Amino acid sequence: MLLESSTMSFIGEKFSDFLTYTGFANLMLENIIMIVVGAFFIWLAIKKDFEPLLLIPIGLGIILGNIPFKSAGLEIGLYEDNSVLNFFYQGVKQGWYPPLIFLGIGAMTDFSALIANPKMMLIGAAAQFGIFGAYIIALALGFEPNQAAGIAIIGGADGPTAIFLSSKLSPNLMGAIAVCAYSYMALVPVIQPFIMRALTTKKEKQIKMAKAREVSQTERILFPIVGLLITTFIVPSGLPLLGMLFFGNLLKESTKTTRLAKTAGSALNDIVVMLLGLTVGCSTQASEFLTMDTIKIFALGAFAFIIATASGVLFVKLFNLFLPEGKKINPLIGNAGVSAVPMAARISNQEGLRADSSNFLLMHAMGPNVAGVIGSAVAAGVLLGFLS
């Protein structure tokens, strides 16, 4: 009888302890808020088709990272050493995932539109003004120089670059910066059209551009080699991103490494995107994410993105003043200078068709769009070189 009493007491005590570990016992309002945010991201991805490959992993990650629990050495949380999530998170924290994603981007990207019309690089460069404008504003709001750089890169609409730079310069803000960057990438179709319409006239919207020349196989093979040498000699600190971008493109264009290019652009890229999205979402634990700094980051990110879009459009309008009739560029492709590939180029095309149903701008817009990928990596390299 005494044994039964002792056993029941032991079971009762352990059951009581178990209840203290449940999510119900540790739930706080902040957890509920973040779980709702995660669910909202998933809703946007599924219902509105906003970048589902990114927002579904991030949304589920936000929910996963905000399941409340009492740790007590269980090693299950993202920020706990030896936990599975912490192991996956090292790819974000140490900056492994972004270069691998750039490898995939390079393997999937056709730079022919940029090679055929090199002046499109100037549009991609102009769109990076948003980064440096946001940097100045971030400094004025009291952020440290390294933190301001991580926040400002959001203006490039390039999630991997934002993660890479913030992991090096402002790791304490990386979760908020990453979620903000990917959020604005997903909202490209919502934000950019209003800016483009406001800054262009009807006549400008209807400018038709001549068909680009054919690009030879030799040019396509030489481009990643020459591009690598030029960009990395200027900003060696951008080597991890630029090196992998051009490596992936060389795999594609050489025609001798098709299997490697397909792997880099499909299976490998998909795996890295899944792990990056999930762990970035998990990093937004309520205690780390629900702060005044996060609100400032989202506001600055929106400002940077708007300025980047406007800079691209306005630069084309300015450039057209020096171009003869028949050679002018449609300003609607200026928005594509941000590096949201190929979504920003599709927005250019949609707005062109909206103004003139026979005006197809997609291939023209791909020039500044892929230039924006290079431009944002170069901008990140510049900031990293100055502030490291």
Side-chain angles (χ1 to χ4, degrees), residues 49-340:
D49 200 30
F50 287 172
E51 288 292 322
L53 297 181
L54 295 173
L55 291 193
I56 288 179
I58 290 175
L60 197 282
I62 292 173
I63 294 173
L64 183 62
N66 284 280
I67 301 296
F69 64 90
K70 179 181 176 182
S71 176
L74 294 177
E75 296 181 351
I76 57 175
L78 182 83
Y79 295 108
E80 294 180 283
D81 292 338
N82 301 318
S83 74
V84 174
L85 286 175
N86 182 264
F87 175 76
F88 289 149
Y89 186 58
Q90 295 308 306
V92 176
K93 189 176 179 181
Q94 303 297 333
W96 305 335
Y97 292 152
L100 290 174
I101 290 179
F102 264 67
L103 173 66
I105 292 172
M108 292 185 289
T109 301
D110 183 354
F111 285 98
S112 295
L114 180 59
I115 299 170
N117 196 353
K119 61 178 175 285
M120 295 299 175
M121 181 63 78
L122 297 175
I123 303 174
Q128 309 312 313
F129 289 160
I131 294 174
F132 297 101
Y135 179 70
I136 295 171
I137 300 297
L139 289 176
L141 289 177
F143 285 100
E144 295 176 4
N146 284 15
Q147 293 176 328
I151 296 167
I153 205 69
I154 296 169
D158 190 338
T161 302
I163 291 171
F164 178 79
L165 190 64
S166 58
S167 72
K168 304 297 183 185
L169 297 180
S170 48
N172 60 315
L173 299 178
M174 186 164 51
I177 290 172
V179 171
C180 181
Y182 279 115
S183 298
Y184 288 126
M185 281 177 65
L187 292 173
V188 163
V190 177
I191 299 173
Q192 284 198 327
F194 295 103
I195 302 169
M196 296 160 67
R197 294 168 196 168
L199 295 178
T200 53
T201 65
K202 183 177 180 181
K203 183 179 179 181
E204 288 173 332
K205 292 182 177 75
Q206 294 175 340
I207 292 175
K208 290 189 176 181
M209 299 173 62
K211 183 180 178 181
R213 69 174 179 84
E214 292 292 327
V215 176
S216 70
Q217 183 66 32
T218 301
E219 289 177 291
R220 290 199 294 270
I221 292 173
L222 286 175
F223 178 79
I225 300 171
V226 175
L228 173 65
L229 291 172
I230 293 174
T231 56
T232 55
F233 266 67
I234 295 172
V235 280
S237 49
L239 185 60
L241 298 179
L242 293 164
M244 296 300 273
L245 175 72
F246 289 121
F247 174 44
N249 190 243
L250 184 60
L251 291 177
K252 172 182 179 292
E253 299 299 352
S254 70
T255 71
K256 302 298 182 181
T257 50
T258 305
R259 285 173 53 194
L260 298 182
K262 285 182 177 178
T263 299
S266 56
L268 178 61
N269 189 69
D270 290 344
I271 290 169
V272 175
V273 167
M274 280 192 293
L275 293 177
L276 182 144
L278 187 69
T279 50
V280 160
C282 287
S283 70
T284 61
Q285 292 182 6
S287 59
E288 304 284 334
F289 193 79
L290 292 179
T291 65
M292 185 55 68
D293 278 349
T294 299
I295 296 173
K296 291 179 182 178
I297 288 169
F298 269 80
L300 282 167
F303 173 80
F305 186 65
I306 290 169
I307 294 300
T309 302
S311 296
V313 175
L314 292 174
F315 176 80
V316 175
K317 289 166 67 78
L318 176 64
F319 199 26
N320 278 343
L321 297 177
F322 304 94
L323 295 176
E325 289 297 329
K327 298 285 186 179
K328 295 189 183 297
I329 301 170
N330 192 311
L332 289 176
I333 72 170
N335 75 297
V338 300
S339 44

